[in-house]
Amino acid sequence: MIDLHCHSNYSDGRLSPQELSVLASKNGITMLALTDHDTLSGVHEIKALLEPAITLIDGIEISVRWKKHDIHILGLNVNTSDPGLRQLILSQQHARRARALEIGYQLSLVGVEQAFEKACVIAGHDHIARPHFAQVLVAENKAHDLGVAFKKYLARGKSAYVETNWVTLDKAVEIIKQAKGHAVIAHPKKYKLTNTKLTELIAEFKTSGGDGLEVISGDTSLKDSNQLAGLAQRFNLLSSTGSDFHGFKNSSVMLGRQRELPVNCVPIWHQWTS
Ligand code: AMP
Ligand code: MN
Ligand code: MN
Ligand code: MN
């Protein structure tokens, strides 16, 4: 099994790199990319922990601002010591922190005190992502579960949604390419874009030098994966697969348990193994 998209507790996942490495062995993973949001800390740690039979692909998931949408671009097989990439990570973390403080303020207006500080306690660090705030909202009885917390407070258009000054699409792709990585649009069906807008995103990504589409992400339906496979073919893009596993107990997603790529796809990992 190949899984090129998952998270550790260095971002918004629940498992440590140690726990993820145990799960990767248990689930028969042969190639794994750990792709935390805007950080490589987990990658450095898991390197020494994975059993030798598992190939680690150094990865990262970069948040991008594109036409008022927050889009996620995976950098796969990147050179983790590339100075441009390291600089980007610092500026993304700066933007993330500024946003988290503002979300904390917005939540104080609806009666949740010290939400930023509470999110930091849950995360164990201060690279706060919205699921950390969602967990605070659940703990404070403001929402039933994480999904409701997003729907009521954190999703785009809701009271605690804060626009973030993420890197642009073309800059993110340029930096990933300079770091000798492959750039992939993560979970293209998650952005609720119209088909026209999705095609526009993919066309711009391709023009910027992007390499691939995540044709299978988590529990992508057969219909969606077939549509994405068609788009990958049309734009001459490689195809990637990943669970986007975060380790949440009530999620239907499991590390390395995605459906197969449609047959008309060119798997991105063939670039690394041949
Ligand atoms: P952030 O990078 O802080 O904007 O957080 C984005 C993360 O929130 C994604 O990577 C998902 O893990 C999670 N997420 C986004 N939308 C939802 C949702 N509707 N329900 C639960 N988790 C979500
Ligand atoms: Mn996430
Ligand atoms: Mn994502
Ligand atoms: Mn992800």
Short mmCIF file of all heavy atoms in Angstrom, two decimals, residues 215-216 221-230 239-241 259-267:
data_model
loop_
_atom_site.label_atom_id
_atom_site.label_comp_id
_atom_site.label_asym_id
_atom_site.label_seq_id
_atom_site.Cartn_x
_atom_site.Cartn_y
_atom_site.Cartn_z
N VAL A 215 -5.71 12.25 -7.09
CA VAL A 215 -6.92 11.64 -7.69
C VAL A 215 -7.69 10.85 -6.63
O VAL A 215 -8.92 10.80 -6.65
CB VAL A 215 -6.51 10.76 -8.89
CG1 VAL A 215 -7.65 9.91 -9.38
CG2 VAL A 215 -5.99 11.66 -10.03
N ILE A 216 -6.96 10.24 -5.72
CA ILE A 216 -7.60 9.56 -4.60
C ILE A 216 -7.16 10.25 -3.31
O ILE A 216 -5.97 10.36 -3.03
CB ILE A 216 -7.16 8.08 -4.52
CG1 ILE A 216 -7.43 7.33 -5.82
CG2 ILE A 216 -7.80 7.39 -3.32
CD1 ILE A 216 -8.87 7.07 -6.11
N SER A 221 -15.07 9.46 -3.69
CA SER A 221 -16.00 8.52 -4.33
C SER A 221 -15.43 8.08 -5.68
O SER A 221 -14.55 8.73 -6.25
CB SER A 221 -17.35 9.19 -4.54
OG SER A 221 -17.23 10.20 -5.52
N LEU A 222 -15.99 6.98 -6.18
CA LEU A 222 -15.56 6.47 -7.48
C LEU A 222 -15.83 7.52 -8.56
O LEU A 222 -15.00 7.76 -9.44
CB LEU A 222 -16.33 5.18 -7.77
CG LEU A 222 -15.83 4.34 -8.94
CD1 LEU A 222 -14.36 3.96 -8.77
CD2 LEU A 222 -16.69 3.09 -9.11
N LYS A 223 -16.98 8.16 -8.44
CA LYS A 223 -17.37 9.18 -9.43
C LYS A 223 -16.36 10.33 -9.43
O LYS A 223 -15.88 10.75 -10.48
CB LYS A 223 -18.77 9.70 -9.06
CG LYS A 223 -19.32 10.75 -9.96
CD LYS A 223 -20.83 10.94 -9.69
CE LYS A 223 -21.35 12.17 -10.38
NZ LYS A 223 -21.31 13.38 -9.57
N ASP A 224 -16.01 10.82 -8.24
CA ASP A 224 -15.05 11.93 -8.16
C ASP A 224 -13.67 11.52 -8.65
O ASP A 224 -13.00 12.27 -9.36
CB ASP A 224 -14.95 12.45 -6.72
CG ASP A 224 -16.16 13.29 -6.32
OD1 ASP A 224 -16.98 13.60 -7.21
OD2 ASP A 224 -16.28 13.60 -5.12
N SER A 225 -13.24 10.30 -8.28
CA SER A 225 -11.89 9.90 -8.70
C SER A 225 -11.83 9.72 -10.21
O SER A 225 -10.82 10.04 -10.84
CB SER A 225 -11.40 8.67 -7.95
OG SER A 225 -12.30 7.62 -8.08
N ASN A 226 -12.93 9.26 -10.81
CA ASN A 226 -12.95 9.14 -12.27
C ASN A 226 -12.89 10.52 -12.93
O ASN A 226 -12.20 10.71 -13.93
CB ASN A 226 -14.17 8.37 -12.74
CG ASN A 226 -14.01 6.87 -12.50
OD1 ASN A 226 -12.87 6.36 -12.44
ND2 ASN A 226 -15.10 6.16 -12.33
N GLN A 227 -13.61 11.48 -12.34
CA GLN A 227 -13.57 12.84 -12.90
C GLN A 227 -12.14 13.40 -12.80
O GLN A 227 -11.61 13.98 -13.75
CB GLN A 227 -14.52 13.76 -12.12
CG GLN A 227 -14.57 15.17 -12.71
CD GLN A 227 -15.10 16.22 -11.73
OE1 GLN A 227 -15.52 15.92 -10.61
NE2 GLN A 227 -15.06 17.47 -12.15
N LEU A 228 -11.51 13.17 -11.64
CA LEU A 228 -10.15 13.71 -11.44
C LEU A 228 -9.14 13.01 -12.34
O LEU A 228 -8.21 13.65 -12.86
CB LEU A 228 -9.75 13.57 -9.96
CG LEU A 228 -10.58 14.45 -9.01
CD1 LEU A 228 -10.27 14.10 -7.56
CD2 LEU A 228 -10.31 15.94 -9.27
N ALA A 229 -9.33 11.71 -12.54
CA ALA A 229 -8.43 10.98 -13.45
C ALA A 229 -8.55 11.57 -14.86
O ALA A 229 -7.54 11.73 -15.56
CB ALA A 229 -8.79 9.50 -13.45
N GLY A 230 -9.77 11.91 -15.26
CA GLY A 230 -9.99 12.53 -16.57
C GLY A 230 -9.28 13.88 -16.67
O GLY A 230 -8.65 14.20 -17.68
N SER A 239 -0.71 11.39 -11.21
CA SER A 239 -1.75 11.13 -10.22
C SER A 239 -1.15 10.67 -8.90
O SER A 239 -0.22 9.87 -8.87
CB SER A 239 -2.72 10.06 -10.73
OG SER A 239 -3.40 10.54 -11.86
N SER A 240 -1.73 11.19 -7.81
CA SER A 240 -1.26 10.79 -6.48
C SER A 240 -2.40 10.17 -5.68
O SER A 240 -3.57 10.35 -6.01
CB SER A 240 -0.68 12.01 -5.76
OG SER A 240 -0.01 11.60 -4.58
N THR A 241 -2.03 9.48 -4.63
CA THR A 241 -3.01 8.85 -3.75
C THR A 241 -2.60 9.03 -2.30
O THR A 241 -1.41 8.90 -1.96
CB THR A 241 -3.17 7.35 -4.06
OG1 THR A 241 -4.12 6.80 -3.13
CG2 THR A 241 -1.86 6.57 -3.91
N ARG A 259 -9.00 3.72 -1.98
CA ARG A 259 -9.27 2.87 -3.15
C ARG A 259 -8.11 2.99 -4.15
O ARG A 259 -7.28 3.90 -4.06
CB ARG A 259 -10.61 3.23 -3.78
CG ARG A 259 -10.62 4.49 -4.61
CD ARG A 259 -11.90 4.71 -5.38
NE ARG A 259 -13.02 5.09 -4.54
CZ ARG A 259 -14.13 4.35 -4.41
NH1 ARG A 259 -14.28 3.25 -5.07
NH2 ARG A 259 -15.09 4.76 -3.62
N GLU A 260 -8.09 2.05 -5.12
CA GLU A 260 -7.03 2.03 -6.14
C GLU A 260 -7.15 3.23 -7.07
O GLU A 260 -8.27 3.70 -7.33
CB GLU A 260 -7.19 0.77 -7.00
CG GLU A 260 -6.99 -0.53 -6.25
CD GLU A 260 -5.53 -0.96 -6.24
OE1 GLU A 260 -4.93 -1.04 -7.33
OE2 GLU A 260 -5.01 -1.19 -5.13
N LEU A 261 -6.05 3.67 -7.63
CA LEU A 261 -6.11 4.71 -8.66
C LEU A 261 -6.80 4.14 -9.90
O LEU A 261 -6.57 2.98 -10.24
CB LEU A 261 -4.69 5.10 -9.10
CG LEU A 261 -3.91 6.17 -8.36
CD1 LEU A 261 -2.60 6.44 -9.10
CD2 LEU A 261 -4.70 7.45 -8.21
N PRO A 262 -7.62 4.94 -10.59
CA PRO A 262 -8.18 4.47 -11.87
C PRO A 262 -7.05 4.09 -12.84
O PRO A 262 -5.95 4.65 -12.75
CB PRO A 262 -8.94 5.70 -12.38
CG PRO A 262 -9.27 6.49 -11.16
CD PRO A 262 -8.14 6.26 -10.20
N VAL A 263 -7.34 3.16 -13.74
CA VAL A 263 -6.26 2.58 -14.57
C VAL A 263 -5.64 3.58 -15.54
O VAL A 263 -4.49 3.40 -15.95
CB VAL A 263 -6.75 1.34 -15.36
CG1 VAL A 263 -6.90 0.15 -14.45
CG2 VAL A 263 -8.03 1.64 -16.11
N ASN A 264 -6.37 4.62 -15.91
CA ASN A 264 -5.81 5.57 -16.88
C ASN A 264 -4.88 6.61 -16.25
O ASN A 264 -4.45 7.55 -16.90
CB ASN A 264 -6.94 6.28 -17.66
CG ASN A 264 -7.98 6.92 -16.73
OD1 ASN A 264 -8.08 6.55 -15.56
ND2 ASN A 264 -8.73 7.87 -17.25
N CYS A 265 -4.54 6.42 -14.97
CA CYS A 265 -3.67 7.38 -14.28
C CYS A 265 -2.20 7.01 -14.42
O CYS A 265 -1.87 5.83 -14.47
CB CYS A 265 -4.01 7.40 -12.79
SG CYS A 265 -5.62 8.12 -12.44
N VAL A 266 -1.34 8.02 -14.42
CA VAL A 266 0.11 7.77 -14.35
C VAL A 266 0.54 8.05 -12.90
O VAL A 266 0.55 9.20 -12.47
CB VAL A 266 0.89 8.69 -15.30
CG1 VAL A 266 2.38 8.35 -15.27
CG2 VAL A 266 0.32 8.62 -16.71
N PRO A 267 0.86 7.00 -12.13
CA PRO A 267 1.18 7.20 -10.70
C PRO A 267 2.43 8.06 -10.51
O PRO A 267 3.45 7.83 -11.16
CB PRO A 267 1.44 5.78 -10.20
CG PRO A 267 0.77 4.89 -11.19
CD PRO A 267 0.89 5.58 -12.51
#
